[in-house]
Amino acid sequence: MRKFPQLHAPITGIVVDESACETDDLAFCGGVQVTVPATDAWDGLVARAVASDWRGIEALSGIPGTVADAVRDNFAAHGQGVADVLYSVRTWDRSIDTQKTFPMSDLGLAPGASCLQETFEDGSLRYEILDVAFLFRQGDITTPIHDDALAALVGLSAGGRAKLTAVRNAVLRLG
C-alpha cells in the first residue's frame, strides 16, 4: 500500500466542535461539526451520534461498511441520507498526488453515487477518502419521520417524531 505524504495532521479519532452556539457564530444554534476518520465503522458513528444526541443518521443504523463507504456510495434508507448531514470530505487525489477537500455541494451526490467513485482504467479509485466532516443538529427527537414503514415500526403515523434511540433500535430489529 502506498503511503501518502501528510500535508495536515491525520484525523486519528472523532473530532467534535460544539462551538456553533457561540453568540458570534453564524451557524445555526445547536450545530455540531464532527470530523471522522474515513476508516471508522459507519454503524459505530451512528451509535455515537444517537448516544450524543446528534440527529440525522439514526435511521441509517446497522448498515455495514466504513464512513468512507457511506460517503462514497451516498448511503440512504428510511427517508434519511448521508447527504443530509454531510459537510465536507478530505481526500487524497491519486491523479495529481495531493490532498483535495470537497464541500458537500461539489460531490455530485445521487442515489448510491458520488464523484468519489471515479476510477482509473485499472479499476482503482481515484480518490482515497481521508476523513469526513458532518454537521449535525442536536436533539434527542428526530425530525418528522416520513417513511411510513419506519413510522409504523416506532408506533407513529407518518410525520410523527420519535426518540433517536427508538428509531435506531427499530431499524436494527429489521436486521
Side-chain angles (χ1 to χ4, degrees), residues 6-172:
Q6 292 293 320
L7 301 178
H8 300 283
I11 300 294
T12 57
I14 294 177
V15 177
V16 179
D17 177 0
E18 295 179 322
S19 66
C21 278
E22 295 174 4
T23 57
D24 63 347
D25 199 321
L26 296 177
F28 53 81
C29 187
V32 178
Q33 183 175 329
V34 178
T35 303
V36 183
T39 56
D40 277 15
W42 172 254
D43 194 54
L45 173 61
V46 176
R48 169 90 185 260
V50 168
S52 301
D53 294 336
W54 305 331
R55 60 183 199 199
I57 58 173
E58 58 279 356
L60 300 177
S61 295
I63 300 174
T66 65
V67 170
D69 297 330
V71 171
R72 185 175 282 115
D73 296 336
N74 191 23
F75 286 179
H78 308 292
Q80 287 186 341
V82 171
D84 298 335
V85 294
L86 191 58
Y87 182 71
S88 65
V89 179
R90 188 169 63 101
T91 68
W92 183 262
D93 184 341
R94 291 181 174 122
S95 70
I96 56 176
D97 283 334
T98 193
Q99 287 187 39
K100 179 174 183 173
T101 299
F102 290 90
M104 191 277 297
S105 59
D106 289 350
L107 289 170
L109 297 171
S114 73
C115 72
L116 301 171
Q117 294 177 342
E118 184 178 337
T119 59
F120 293 115
E121 287 183 17
D122 67 1
S124 64
L125 290 166
R126 174 180 175 179
Y127 297 105
E128 174 74 21
I129 299 174
L130 303 174
D131 56 57
V132 180
F134 298 93
L135 188 59
F136 294 108
R137 301 244 9 215
Q138 289 182 302
D140 64 346
I141 304 291
T142 65
T143 58
I145 299 170
H146 297 292
D147 181 89
D148 292 333
L150 179 58
L153 276 173
V154 292
L156 300 171
S157 301
R161 295 168 49 140
K163 290 278 200 180
L164 300 180
T165 54
V167 170
R168 175 167 167 75
N169 292 337
V171 171
L172 290 173

